[in-house]
Amino acid sequence: MYQTAGVEQRPTLAPACWLSGQIDQRTLRNEDATAVVRDIGAGTISRWLLAWLPLMQGGAEPGIIEAWKREARKEPGERDRGILGHLTLTFADLAGGLSEWQRGLEGWGMVKSPYLEQLREEVRAEGRAEGRAEGQLEALRETVLQLGRRKLRKAAGRTHKARLEALTDLARLERIRNRILEADSWADLLDTP
C-alpha cells in the first residue's frame, strides 16, 4: 500500500510565509529490505531508515544484518550509531526477529538510552504484573472448583466452568470463593455479584 498526500500550512501571523510538502505513507511489511539497503548505500534515502529494516521483507536475513552494520558504521556520531542500534533492536523485537538481530549485532557498540531502557523496564514490569494477576485468577478459579465440588457434592458442569473461566474480576472471584459455604448450587454461587 502506498499513499501520498499534500500538505500546506499558512500561518496567520505571517501569511506571506508558508510550508508545503508531500507525505508518503508506505506499508513497511511490503517493502524489500534489500532494496532499501541499496538505496541507503546510494545515498538516495536517509540512513535512519536502517532502523526499520527488521519490519520489512527479508529484514532478518544475515545479509541484511551485515549490510545494516556496513551502512550504520557510516553514521559519524557514536551516540547516533547507538541510538540507531537500539531502535533497530526495538523493531526487530516487534517483528519477532530479535534473536537474529541480537546475534548479528553482538559486539556492536550501543550507547545506553535512558528512555529506551526505562521503556523496556516498564514493559517487563507490566508483563510480570499481568502474569501475577493471571496466576491469581487461575488459583482462585481452581479453589472455587475444588471447594464448590466438595460443598455442592458435584463437579461444575461445562456451562458453569465456562462462566467461571470467563471471570476476570479478581474481587468478584474472591466474593464467590467466600460464598461457597452459603451457596445451594453452582448457578447460585456463580450469580454472586
Side-chain angles (χ1 to χ4, degrees):
M1 181 172 154
Y2 184 74
Q3 294 181 357
T4 302
V7 176
E8 186 171 299
Q9 291 287 329
R10 292 186 181 265
T12 55
L13 183 62
C17 300
W18 70 89
L19 173 68
S20 66
Q22 179 175 308
I23 298 173
D24 291 333
Q25 178 182 337
R26 301 166 86 159
T27 304
L28 291 175
R29 71 175 170 268
N30 297 334
E31 297 292 322
D32 177 36
T34 304
V36 171
V37 168
R38 183 188 61 236
D39 292 346
I40 291 169
T44 58
I45 60 175
S46 169
R47 194 175 295 122
W48 284 94
L49 291 173
L50 288 170
W52 300 91
L53 287 177
L55 300 172
M56 299 177 192
Q57 290 182 19
E61 294 176 5
I64 292 297
I65 296 171
E66 288 304 312
W68 182 97
K69 291 194 290 191
R70 186 176 56 250
E71 294 301 324
R73 280 187 191 102
K74 296 176 185 176
E75 191 61 39
E78 181 181 340
R79 181 176 174 271
D80 286 346
R81 286 192 303 271
I83 291 170
L84 185 57
H86 280 292
L87 288 172
T88 303
L89 289 177
T90 299
F91 290 128
D93 189 20
L94 292 173
L98 182 60
S99 60
E100 292 89 346
W101 276 93
Q102 282 177 326
R103 276 193 306 276
L105 297 184
E106 192 172 326
W108 178 262
M110 287 189 236
V111 176
K112 292 272 186 193
S113 163
Y115 169 72
L116 289 175
E117 290 302 315
Q118 178 185 355
L119 185 61
R120 281 190 187 100
E121 185 51 40
E122 287 173 8
V123 168
R124 283 187 210 109
E126 187 177 301
R128 287 191 299 267
E130 286 175 9
R132 280 192 298 274
E134 186 58 38
Q136 287 177 315
L137 289 171
E138 285 300 316
L140 270 173
R141 289 182 191 122
E142 190 58 35
T143 299
V144 168
L145 286 171
Q146 289 176 3
L147 294 177
R149 182 176 58 242
R150 290 176 81 184
K151 162 62 168 93
L152 301 171
R153 300 192 192 285
K154 69 177 186 175
R158 273 187 272 167
T159 304
H160 296 121
K161 278 185 182 178
R163 282 183 64 193
L164 189 60
E165 287 296 320
L167 292 177
T168 58
D169 180 352
L170 190 60
R172 182 169 176 215
L173 275 167
E174 288 172 342
R175 289 192 300 274
I176 289 171
R177 178 200 59 204
N178 295 340
R179 256 198 87 237
I180 287 175
L181 295 177
E182 302 161 11
D184 296 326
S185 67
W186 280 104
D188 176 35
L189 182 61
L190 293 174
D191 285 341
T192 302

